Amino acid sequence: MKFRVYRYDPDQDAKPRMQEYDVALDPHDRMLLDALIRLKAQDDTVSFRRSCREGVCGSDAMNINGKNGLACITNLKELKEPVELRPLPGLPVIRDLIVDMSQFFKQYHSIKPYLVNDTPPPEKERLQTPAEHEELDGLYECILCACCSTACPSFWWNPDKFVGPAGLLTAYRFIADSRDQATSERLDNLEDPYRLFRCHTIMNCVDVCPKGLNPTRAIGKIRELMVKRAI
Amino acid sequence: MALPVRKFDAIVVGAGGAGMRASLQLAEAGLSVAVLSKVFPTRSHTVAAQGGIGASLGNMGEDSWLWHMYDTIKGSDWLGDQDAIEYMCRMAPEVVYELEHYGMPFDRNPDGTIYQRPFGGHSANFGEKSIQRACASADRTGHAMLHTLYQRNVRSRTQFFVEWMALDLIRDVEGDVLGVAALEMETGEVMLLQAKATLFATGGAGRIFAASTNAFINTGDGLGMAARAGIPLEDLEFWQFHPTGVAGAGVLITEAVRGEGGILLNCNGERFMERYAPNLKDLASRDVVSRSMDQEIKEGRGCGPNKDHVMLKLDHLGPDVINKRLPSIREIAIKFANVDPIKEPIPVVPTIHYQMGGIPTNIHGQVVAPDGGDPNTIVNGLYAIGECACVSVHGANRLGTNSLLDLLVFGRAAGNHLVDSQLQRREHKALPRDAGDLSLARLARLDTAASGESVAEVASDLRKAMTAHCGVFRNQELLDSGVARVMELEQRVLRVAIKDKSKTFNTARVEALELDNLIETAKATVVSAAARRESRGAQARSDYPERDDVNWLKHTLWHREGNRLSYKPVRLTPLTVESFPPKTRTY
């Protein structure tokens, strides 16, 4: 199978280049990551992150034939050749397919991604009805792969000011949690021309999320709450 | 060469469930702590745990920690240490409630309490019938737990060193551990991280086998570092085969499928577990189910054109239960097995999943090693928790849901022990002059080797050898030839070469360094297995089919130096209750 891979090693290369590979696959190879492991056995200088190989750790996000996705759950049969692999767009490249995710995590951290509840906890669990728990479905499953934020034009233009879809999804995950008491502070934290309102509902995030989550809907819910609180 | 040095009260190596539960205690107590991880914390392998956390909350009916303790001891085939098991099972409800208070999105019962599901080997009233003890977030409990712990650490401002790989322990002449030499992957720089206490939470080494549910990062780094520093490894012959890995792909299908009512079928459509475990059937403990599946396949009742797997049927649960309780399983089955479990069964085989053995510790997480007459002498300054440790709560076979529990209970215990030992008030001991030399020598060899075998090739041969020689059923001939093959592979490991000489994010170098850790774990495994002439838990010997308590009710210790073994007694005395003496184990 034929591949074109973005190569850049700051130790040796003045600028990035695309390198072509022909990889002999085994009949059992199923996913793009399987092919990448074979490619690396051919040329150990090709660098990418990977770990769980089942779509739950979020390590191997990359741009695959122009679309962000996880290599480990992208079926080789769905890919047109040569398969063009590039690092996630919009973030600084450290090397080859490895990007510097600091900005992405900085935005995630900026929304206070933890439960806030200052009442002394009960001896047992805090109670939550099944319906209240279901509010969290589709929100807590995010794997922080950054496919969404790096597919978002608003995040490309303002990665330092716009929280981005992943961070906003998590912000709403805590707003929606019946146990969290900081809704008002969370809304204050996002009430800004950039942090939330740079989302122009382009919905690339929804299109690329490998877990099938919907950050745009979560962002819409936060907006509704802001409107409600203003009137 | 003088390496840069950074000083901390404590360093934690590994940011999975155990490491982050421990770091939380340390950060909240105001210690200066560095948490090193090869990957961003939420990418640690805890994230892949699916089914649940065992705790006798009793939300679904009567339960008690004593029943949980009995099940764990029986599950361990009496090799587990009963003091540690009592401690874990008693603490279980508290650590689960704590996690809930941190924000863990547990599934709920109509009354608002945490939902609990049945799991293999967990029973009511000392084996009478199956019980609902596994606290679950759908089938992504590990993901929910790992993210919750990371989030709580963000709140506590824990200092993470992301994409740093610890290379070797620093020990002085007195044997005290004074920190680690570590590699910053992005820059290729090596640094000495000096600490008054070093805590290993590095996870297992499931990648010594070809078919494994484990992530690529599970290369036994803590075990390799411990072994190279002269610390023995305990009970490494005991490796758990999870009954349900997707055939061909190895990806895990949680036991929660059977907890929710799924069943295993052979090619005749027979629910064969009724024959092997008449009481708990498909929910017998994992070693029993894996052996039964292997037996069915060996006797020609496997499924598919090659009759090499069995079927896990769950369509009878209905789409509602599957979509609500097992959504990720459905996703995995569709992606990795081409089947929608709402309509068709999933092809599964026993697949390497969990390492019961590890670095020997006591219940505070302190590493212990033989010294003089005492097999449990504390190694000053070193702690180990989670899958890399052997405390031993899992003995010869771990029960499902007890791994996440182990991380929480012993992560917290080790964290508390470190806080109580008042590290801030102590001085750093001086580093030995050769600190970091071993790591530098390992790196220099990789940087200068112009030719040699590729890491991928040697690692792949090692995995094939371990899979062929340390499978579900073992015998003396197979194990002896396995020892010979692994010792040959050790020589090949010493001669690998990498083409990539870059300083920047050199993943080829990382994989070569990981291979040094894989080989130590593999040696410990096969040598320990060849010596144990009995069947107990996950070690099933066709030539010694019975458990032999007279000669083998003892823990193995493998010593790297001399590739030799010693043994130490199992602690059969719990902390406060009567001992559970060994008896026949049936499900």
Side-chain angles (χ1 to χ4, degrees), chain A residues 126-137 140 176-179, chain B residues 60 105-116 136 324-325:
Chain A
R126 288 197 166 98
L127 300 179
Q128 189 172 49
T129 66
E132 286 167 339
H133 169 76
E134 276 166 29
E135 291 293 317
L136 308 179
D137 286 344
Y140 78 89
D177 195 320
S178 61
R179 300 167 294 176
Chain B
M60 322 302 286
F106 281 115
D107 286 4
R108 301 290 170 153
N109 294 310
D111 66 359
T113 55
I114 295 168
Y115 167 73
Q116 299 182 275
K324 184 171 177 201
R325 301 286 187 207

Side-chain angles (χ1 to χ4, degrees), chain B residues 331-358:
Chain B
E331 231 179 279
I332 287 173
I334 291 170
K335 287 202 172 98
F336 288 92
N338 280 340
V339 298
D340 183 347
I342 286 181
K343 298 178 207 133
E344 308 152 89
I346 311 172
V348 291
V349 284
T351 305
I352 276 291
H353 182 57
Y354 187 85
Q355 160 198 305
M356 266 76 71

Side-chain angles (χ1 to χ4, degrees), chain B residues 142-154:
Chain B
H143 170 278
M145 174 171 139
L146 190 68
H147 280 255
T148 301
L149 287 173
Y150 177 67
Q151 291 163 348
R152 188 77 177 181
N153 272 280
V154 171

Side-chain angles (χ1 to χ4, degrees), chain B residues 108-391:
Chain B
R108 301 290 170 153
N109 294 310
D111 66 359
T113 55
I114 295 168
Y115 167 73
Q116 299 182 275
R117 60 163 54 113
F119 238 79
H122 289 278
S123 74
N125 204 16
F126 311 103
E128 204 174 276
K129 55 175 198 260
S130 182
I131 199 170
Q132 294 185 245
R133 189 178 284 148
C135 309
S137 291
D139 54 357
R140 29 176 108 90
T141 312
H143 170 278
M145 174 171 139
L146 190 68
H147 280 255
T148 301
L149 287 173
Y150 177 67
Q151 291 163 348
R152 188 77 177 181
N153 272 280
V154 171
R155 178 179 174 272
S156 303
R157 301 179 189 283
T158 300
Q159 193 182 2
F160 288 104
F161 284 59
V162 175
E163 294 174 333
W164 280 62
M165 182 182 183
L167 301 178
D168 283 292
L169 277 172
I170 304 169
R171 275 187 102 176
D172 68 9
V173 283
E174 285 157 327
D176 294 359
V177 170
L178 306 180
V180 294
L183 171 77
E184 182 181 25
M185 287 156 66
E186 184 176 336
T187 60
E189 296 303 321
V190 179
M191 201 177 276
L192 300 180
L193 301 179
Q194 187 177 2
K196 299 165 197 169
T198 301
L199 197 160
F200 274 179
T202 53
R207 282 275 157 179
I208 58 172
F209 291 90
S212 166
T213 65
N214 280 206
F216 282 101
I217 55 170
N218 291 16
T219 52
D221 299 343
L223 283 78
M225 286 188 276
R228 285 192 296 276
I231 292 157
L233 302 178
E234 180 173 344
D235 293 343
L236 254 294
E237 61 270 47
F238 298 102
W239 280 89
Q240 178 163 82
F241 286 83
H242 194 292
T244 56
V246 173
V251 177
L252 173 69
I253 298 288
T254 174
E255 195 168 297
V257 170
R258 284 170 285 136
E260 296 288 346
I263 53 172
L264 293 164
L265 301 176
N266 63 18
C267 68
N268 303 324
E270 184 205 2
R271 186 181 180 187
F272 56 86
M273 281 312 300
E274 288 179 331
R275 272 187 280 122
Y276 295 93
N279 188 17
L280 294 188
K281 304 183 179 75
D282 301 87
L283 285 178
S285 71
R286 289 179 179 169
D287 58 330
V288 174
V289 179
S290 287
R291 270 196 295 281
S292 309
M293 290 166 70
D294 209 59
Q295 193 79 22
E296 290 297 299
I297 293 167
K298 280 209 176 87
E299 290 173 6
R301 291 186 295 277
C303 305
N306 301 321
K307 293 190 163 293
D308 56 0
H309 58 265
V310 303
M311 289 296 185
L312 176 61
K313 174 182 152 61
L314 64 157
D315 58 286
H316 56 285
L317 305 182
D320 291 349
V321 170
I322 293 175
N323 287 326
K324 184 171 177 201
R325 301 286 187 207
L326 305 164
S328 305
I329 287 314
R330 187 174 174 217
E331 231 179 279
I332 287 173
I334 291 170
K335 287 202 172 98
F336 288 92
N338 280 340
V339 298
D340 183 347
I342 286 181
K343 298 178 207 133
E344 308 152 89
I346 311 172
V348 291
V349 284
T351 305
I352 276 291
H353 182 57
Y354 187 85
Q355 160 198 305
M356 266 76 71
I359 303 166
T361 74
N362 62 24
I363 62 172
H364 308 298
Q366 293 172 289
V367 173
V368 294
D371 188 20
D374 181 4
N376 294 312
T377 305
I378 288 164
V379 176
N380 284 327
L382 186 63
Y383 290 71
I385 47 174
E387 192 170 343
C388 76
C390 185
V391 49

Side-chain angles (χ1 to χ4, degrees), chain A residues 53-185:
Chain A
R53 62 83 169 85
E54 58 190 53
V56 69
C57 80
S59 296
D60 61 354
M62 56 188 70
N63 189 269
I64 306 157
N65 280 346
K67 189 176 172 184
N68 291 352
L70 300 178
C72 61
I73 52 171
T74 298
N75 199 306
L76 287 164
K77 287 192 187 126
E78 295 160 11
L79 297 173
K80 181 170 106 309
E81 288 183 64
V83 182
E84 197 163 288
L85 301 176
R86 293 173 180 271
L88 289 176
L91 295 177
V93 175
I94 296 173
R95 179 177 174 181
D96 297 344
L97 301 174
I98 298 174
V99 290
D100 179 352
M101 297 182 76
S102 312
Q103 195 65 59
F104 172 79
F105 289 124
K106 205 171 157 189
Q107 290 296 0
Y108 174 75
H109 293 152
S110 80
I111 57 97
K112 298 207 165 123
Y114 43 82
L115 191 85
V116 175
N117 185 325
D118 293 329
T119 56
E123 208 173 303
K124 296 187 171 183
E125 66 268 61
R126 288 197 166 98
L127 300 179
Q128 189 172 49
T129 66
E132 286 167 339
H133 169 76
E134 276 166 29
E135 291 293 317
L136 308 179
D137 286 344
L139 302 174
Y140 78 89
E141 300 92 328
C142 173
I143 58 172
L144 297 177
C145 64
C147 281
C148 60
S149 294
T150 61
C152 173
S154 300
F155 190 77
W156 294 338
W157 306 141
N158 296 105
D160 52 335
K161 294 188 190 129
F162 174 52
V163 171
L168 291 168
L169 183 84
T170 307
Y172 186 64
R173 177 250 174 274
F174 286 103
I175 290 170
D177 195 320
S178 61
R179 300 167 294 176
D180 189 87
Q181 297 176 326
T183 296
S184 161
E185 291 84 340

